[in-house]
Amino acid sequence: MNRFAILFSGRGSNLEAILDHWDDPSHVEETAASIPVLALSNRPDAGGISKARARGLETRVVDHRAFENRAAFEDALCDELARAEVTWIVCAGFMRVLTPHFVRRFEGRILNTHPALLPLFPGTDGPAQALAAGVKVSGCSVHFVDEGVDTGPIIAQSVVPVLRSDTPDSLGARIRGVEHTLYPRAIARVLAGGYRREGDHVHLEGHALDGP
Ligand code: GRF
């Protein structure tokens, strides 16, 4: 059984979608292979904290501002992860870059969702970057985390239209709409072992993730 932690920094709508997915008995075939055991925020004011607690998930805050440097912050994260016997990490709006040291420790076992069609528009403000570039579609990308920023192997993507009237907020909200379906499904599939990795390419087994 894979035990995963959800790392987040803010609103926590993806965290909520993930927990709802695991709570829904109709998904048990894929979710049975893994269990969310810990919600971990680096911000004490993150909206996701109350969402995780409301669902009965153990929730901890490791405030990065309390540490002298990234290494000390990540050591504290690792202490929490070890205590909860976490085997996989799921980033959901976690706004701290993880150092190579941390990434190597969980090599191939960290997932993230990014609000753009990678490899386009990595980093912050995916929706704003898409609007500035004038692209007509954008979306979200679920990927493995490697030592770069949003550069790891892509697992799954969903596409949304970019409208002329869009602002970064409206596009970001539309992207989150598809993310809330795709990300939980992708996490469940990967943690159930339903994928093959060939170098930088990931092949999912079974039915498509972004269908009805
Ligand atoms: C999501 O759009 C995700 O792609 C990005 O941060 C956002 C987090 O939103 N990494 P939320 O906190 O899950 O609502």
Side-chain angles (χ1 to χ4, degrees), residues 110-198:
I110 311 176
L111 305 179
N112 184 42
T113 178
H114 180 74
L117 295 175
L118 294 171
L120 287 178
F121 317 135
T124 53
D125 288 334
Q129 291 187 59
L131 288 178
V135 295
K136 307 306 177 204
V137 295
S138 190
C140 67
S141 305
V142 177
H143 64 97
F144 282 103
V145 172
D146 66 7
E147 294 179 18
V149 175
D150 303 323
T151 52
I154 294 166
I155 296 166
Q157 293 179 307
S158 278
V159 175
V160 301
V162 177
L163 307 181
R164 275 181 72 172
S165 56
D166 266 332
T167 61
D169 280 351
S170 65
L171 179 56
R174 191 173 309 116
I175 291 171
R176 280 195 301 283
V178 292
E179 219 168 24
H180 293 163
T181 303
L182 187 74
Y183 198 26
R185 289 178 175 184
I187 296 165
R189 180 75 55 87
V190 169
L191 270 63
Y195 71 104
R196 257 181 322 113
R197 244 182 105 159
E198 284 168 10

Side-chain angles (χ1 to χ4, degrees), residues 50-130:
S50 56
K51 291 173 176 152
R53 291 202 168 127
R55 283 165 175 75
L57 182 62
E58 183 180 0
T59 305
R60 297 292 176 109
V61 175
V62 179
D63 188 338
H64 64 280
R65 293 167 301 189
F67 299 89
E68 251 177 42
N69 52 45
R70 268 180 208 278
F73 166 63
E74 289 184 348
D75 283 347
L77 284 184
C78 285
D79 287 347
E80 292 291 350
L81 296 167
R83 198 189 38 74
E85 296 176 27
V86 164
T87 54
W88 280 75
I89 293 173
V90 165
C91 298
F94 185 61
M95 301 306 283
R96 305 301 295 169
V97 172
L98 295 167
T99 68
H101 179 69
F102 184 97
V103 172
R104 273 184 230 130
R105 196 156 164 170
F106 286 90
E107 187 86 61
R109 288 178 293 130
I110 311 176
L111 305 179
N112 184 42
T113 178
H114 180 74
L117 295 175
L118 294 171
L120 287 178
F121 317 135
T124 53
D125 288 334
Q129 291 187 59

Side-chain angles (χ1 to χ4, degrees), residues 1-2 22 27-35 188 192:
M1 170 76 76
N2 278 310
W22 258 259
H27 301 135
V28 74
E29 214 174 296
E30 281 198 340
T31 55
S34 58
I35 182 170

